[in-house]
Amino acid sequence: MTITAITPSPEPCVEAGWHAEDYHLGGEVTRSLVDALRPLGSTLLLDTLRQPFFKVESHHFIIKGLLGATSIRVACHRDHTNETQQIKEAILHHETD
């Protein structure tokens, strides 16, 4: 999977010490992409919703998004932004469905 762009998130979270970005992907978010992100943290997948939602949470970051969307949101504590590299690698090494 490719990351076509990374843009600052419109959600205000800087006040809480978090930095958030939207990762725009070269394809849709699928269950297999969520499975590829699963080793990074505690995973929640609500796939029975009309618009299935997922969240992967670790001590220093949160990844969330909707199945079928072409972007995900990544929020990282400002003191641990280097940990986003492992998120990028998991996405880039994921084979698209």
Side-chain angles (χ1 to χ4, degrees):
M1 174 80 64
T2 59
I3 300 171
T4 59
I6 298 175
T7 58
S9 171
E11 289 185 19
C13 53
V14 174
E15 299 83 18
W18 288 76
H19 173 76
E21 298 175 318
D22 289 338
Y23 288 24
H24 303 275
L25 308 174
E28 291 185 355
V29 176
T30 61
R31 180 184 296 273
S32 65
L33 177 58
V34 175
D35 288 341
L37 297 172
R38 190 177 296 273
L40 300 177
S42 173
T43 304
L44 170 70
L45 174 59
L46 302 173
D47 59 355
T48 58
L49 298 176
R50 185 172 51 98
Q51 182 105 41
F53 169 83
F54 81 93
K55 178 171 70 169
V56 178
E57 191 169 5
S58 180
H59 291 291
H60 303 128
F61 60 80
I62 298 171
I63 308 164
K64 62 182 181 175
L66 301 171
L67 293 185
T70 57
S71 66
I72 59 174
R73 178 150 303 143
V74 176
C76 188
H77 189 273
R78 68 173 162 231
D79 294 336
H80 299 277
T81 55
N82 59 326
E83 292 187 30
T84 59
Q85 187 58 36
Q86 64 184 331
I87 299 167
K88 292 173 188 169
E89 288 174 11
I91 294 168
L92 293 172
H93 290 101
H94 172 67
E95 296 293 324
T96 55
D97 299 330

